[in-house]
Amino acid sequence: AQTVTQSQPEMSVQEAETVTLSCTYDTSESNYYLFWYKQPPSRQMILVIRQEAYKQQNATENRFSVNFQKAAKSFSLKISDSQLGDTAMYFCAFIATRFGAGTRLTVKP
Amino acid sequence: ETGVTQSPTHLIKTRGQQVTLRCSSQSGHNTVSWYQQALGQGPQFIFQYYREEENGRGNFPPRFSGLQFPNYSSELNVNALELDDSALYLCASSLGQWNTEAFFGQGTRLTVV
C-alpha cells in the first residue's frame, strides 16, 4: 500500500524568506504522479504543484518548486520569497488516493 | 467556468441516521473523488467515480456509497452514522482519473451527535 509521510507537523518562516517542506512516500509503482496541495483556513484545497515520476526535471511554478528524488522516494516543496498569503496547511499527495497528514505553515511578518 | 460546489456546507445528524452529501463537478470534468478529512488530519480517499462507474475505493466500509449522474455531479451516502463519521467531507472533480489536477469544493462539515 502506498503511504505518504510528512514529518513536520508545523513550520514557520519569516516573510520573504525560503522554506522547505518535506514529504516521503512508499510505493512499488514506477510511474505515478505526486502533488502538493494548499489548504487555507477557508478549507478549499488548491493545487500548488504537480510532478510526474517519469520526468527527471523538477517541477516549478513561480515561487514554488520541488526537489523530487525518485530513488529516495522524496518529494519536498520549496517556497521562495514567502508571503503572508502562503500561511496554510500543505498536503503532499500520491496520485489522488493518498495524502500525508499535512504541515501547518505560518509566514510571519 | 463554474467551480466545484458542495451542499450543504454544514450538517448535524444523529448517530444511526443516514446522510446524503452532494457535489457538482466543474464544467467539463468527468471524474469525481470523495474524501473524509478528520480534524487535524489529511484527507482520506473514500472512492472515485469516472463516467458514472466506481473507479477505485479506499478503506471505507460499504455503508459509504456513492453515485455519479450523467451530468457528472455526484452524491456520497453514509448509512448508520457513527460518531467517528464526524469530519469534513471533500469532493474533487477532474478531467481524467489519477494524474490530472483535481479541483476541490469547500467541503461539507458533518457532525454526528
Side-chain angles (χ1 to χ4, degrees):
Chain A
Q2 297 94 358
T3 58
V4 178
T5 302
Q6 293 179 250
S7 59
Q8 305 149 314
E10 294 191 26
M11 294 192 72
S12 64
V13 63
Q14 292 296 132
E15 194 175 9
E17 293 189 346
T18 296
V19 64
T20 299
L21 308 184
S22 301
C23 173
T24 59
Y25 60 94
D26 185 27
T27 184
S28 58
E29 299 180 25
S30 58
N31 192 20
Y32 47 87
Y33 291 78
L34 296 162
F35 303 87
W36 277 98
Y37 281 92
K38 167 185 176 182
Q39 187 177 41
S42 67
R43 308 187 321 202
Q44 189 157 15
M45 289 274 203
I46 302 165
L47 179 68
V48 174
I49 200 165
R50 177 179 76 169
Q51 175 76 43
E52 299 165 69
Y54 64 87
K55 289 188 176 180
Q56 294 188 344
Q57 186 174 6
N58 289 325
T60 300
E61 287 287 340
N62 301 314
R63 298 183 295 107
F64 299 88
S65 61
V66 299
N67 183 5
F68 174 50
Q69 301 290 328
K70 189 174 183 180
K73 296 179 182 173
S74 170
F75 181 58
S76 60
L77 174 70
K78 186 171 82 171
I79 305 174
S80 304
D81 186 25
S82 296
Q83 300 176 359
L84 297 178
D86 295 334
T87 293
M89 286 291 294
Y90 286 81
F91 293 97
C92 175
F94 177 90
I95 316 180
T97 59
R98 192 71 64 174
F99 282 70
T103 296
R104 182 178 302 280
L105 177 66
T106 302
V107 179
K108 298 179 179 179
Chain B
E1 178 176 275
T2 58
V4 178
T5 57
Q6 293 187 243
S7 62
T9 54
H10 296 84
L11 197 56
I12 299 175
K13 288 287 192 178
T14 302
R15 188 172 52 181
Q17 285 188 315
Q18 178 265 342
V19 68
T20 297
L21 310 182
R22 294 179 175 82
C23 172
S24 294
S25 57
Q26 184 156 318
S27 178
H29 286 183
N30 55 17
T31 303
V32 172
S33 302
W34 284 93
Y35 302 86
Q36 180 194 68
Q37 186 178 20
L39 199 61
Q41 297 183 22
Q44 300 292 313
F45 175 69
I46 302 175
F47 43 56
Q48 182 183 85
Y49 278 82
Y50 172 66
R51 295 185 175 180
E52 303 179 58
E53 297 287 330
E54 188 179 291
N55 186 47
R57 188 179 183 91
N59 190 26
F60 280 81
R63 60 188 185 85
F64 286 79
S65 63
L67 281 173
Q68 187 179 31
F69 299 100
N71 66 355
Y72 301 131
S73 66
S74 178
E75 288 183 352
L76 165 65
N77 299 290
V78 187
N79 293 322
L81 283 166
E82 301 177 359
L83 297 179
D84 284 348
D85 296 334
S86 295
L88 179 68
Y89 287 84
L90 296 168
C91 163
S93 76
S94 58
L95 180 61
Q97 300 169 61
W98 308 114
N99 60 336
T100 56
E101 177 181 357
F103 292 80
F104 283 80
Q106 289 194 303
T108 294
R109 173 73 66 190
L110 173 65
T111 302
V112 182
V113 297

